[in-house]
Amino acid sequence: MEFDFTALEAESRYRLLTNFVGPRPIALVTTRSTTGRSNAAPMSFFNVFSHEPPIVVLGIQPRLSGEEKDTVVNIRRTGEFAVNMVDMALSQQMLVCGLAFDSDVDELEIAKLPTARCSQIDVDHVTSSPCTFECRVERLIEYPRRVLVLGEVVHMHVRRDCLDADGRYVDAHAYQPIARLHADNYITSDRQFVLKAPAIADVLKASENME
Ligand SMILES: Cc1cc2nc3c(=O)[nH]c(=O)nc-3n(C[C@H](O)[C@H](O)[C@H](O)COP(=O)(O)O)c2cc1C
């Protein structure tokens, strides 16, 4: 089947993009509200796009009412947010944080997530998360139905068991983030395999032999 995205209505574009671009990692984004309360919301329009500078991007759409989500309101006001990565152990609490609570509700409290103050920004992070990236807004890109938040990572917390003994590489057995596939379908990274790229010379030789 073919789909002309220039003619397709928004709901179908959303369905096709989210059904086929996956798995998408989940950021449990924590921010601080005007009243000083913590706010937490999962975002799967999320990934890392650069290491120099270190940039992560969130894509946040308004609520059905047209109002901005608390995460965007808080990020606009403070210019700060933390991305807490989500593993299986955090999955239920992540879903609780995704419910449409009133703005003054602290989702971290409701989900009973343990927290600590971030090191370089005035936001709480989830201490049971395998790792957290503290971010300052680098820029916002505004579309009528979505705000892209580019955040520069200024600090990272990693749970000790998620790193090897030298503290350099990830321990792939300990760190198994979950990711969103489509609708309510998720995947975990417990089946990992090694894939080595072939040498260019071998590939060119094989392609010459086929001619
Ligand atoms: C796994 C998952 C991923 C989500 N990803 C996004 C996303 O990328 N962008 C978005 O706007 N909403 C996303 N949502 C919905 C928000 O988390 C939800 O609207 C939340 O209530 C927003 O909270 P806030 O108003 O405190 O910011 C996601 C929900 C779940 C459960």
Side-chain angles (χ1 to χ4, degrees):
M1 286 180 75
E2 311 296 321
F3 298 94
D4 176 358
F5 267 54
T6 64
L8 215 55
E9 82 286 9
E11 189 277 331
S12 298
R13 290 194 299 256
Y14 179 87
R15 189 185 62 254
L16 289 165
L17 289 169
T18 57
N19 280 199
F20 287 93
V21 181
R24 298 185 306 284
I26 301 169
L28 182 56
V29 180
T30 46
T31 52
R32 187 168 303 288
S33 76
T34 19
T35 55
R37 282 184 164 271
S38 276
N39 188 87
M43 300 290 161
S44 67
F45 278 66
F46 157 69
N47 219 310
V48 60
F49 284 89
S50 165
H51 76 291
E52 213 174 63
I55 298 289
V56 295
V57 180
L58 308 170
I60 310 181
Q61 61 182 342
R63 297 181 209 282
L64 289 176
S65 64
E67 274 176 312
E68 291 205 311
K69 293 185 180 175
D70 298 335
T71 302
V72 173
V73 172
N74 296 344
I75 283 175
R76 282 191 197 286
R77 194 182 61 82
T78 64
E80 298 177 338
F81 64 97
V83 166
N84 304 272
M85 298 301 288
V86 176
D87 60 9
M88 195 65 96
L90 277 175
S91 55
Q92 287 302 325
Q93 289 149 311
M94 175 278 290
L95 287 177
V96 170
C97 293
L99 300 175
F101 294 108
D102 287 346
S103 300
D104 57 350
V105 169
D106 177 346
E107 288 90 356
L108 295 173
E109 215 173 275
I110 300 262
K112 302 207 172 352
L113 283 164
T115 60
R117 189 58 55 89
C118 283
S119 300
Q120 297 196 39
I121 59 173
D122 181 28
V123 170
D124 288 341
H125 70 101
V126 178
T127 51
S128 53
S129 168
C131 63
T132 300
F133 300 98
E134 297 186 12
C135 305
R136 290 208 178 92
V137 171
E138 196 275 334
R139 74 186 70 183
L140 300 178
I141 301 176
E142 313 267 359
Y143 294 101
R145 296 282 305 157
R146 193 158 297 257
V147 182
L148 299 191
V149 179
L150 276 66
E152 178 165 358
V153 178
V154 293
H155 195 95
M156 181 182 183
H157 306 259
V158 189
R159 226 174 49 207
R160 189 66 191 88
D161 64 298
C162 292
L163 282 170
D164 64 11
D166 294 339
R168 279 175 66 78
Y169 292 100
V170 68
D171 181 324
H173 293 289
Y175 181 51
Q176 295 184 355
I178 61 166
R180 198 173 198 181
L181 278 171
H182 53 275
D184 291 339
N185 296 283
Y186 294 82
I187 196 165
T188 184
S189 41
D190 57 359
R191 182 176 166 256
Q192 303 189 13
F193 54 94
V194 175
L195 208 52
K196 297 257 189 225
I200 288 186
D202 293 343
V203 174
L204 290 176
K205 209 155 124 196
S207 112
E208 276 164 19
N209 290 342
M210 287 177 60
E211 279 169 8

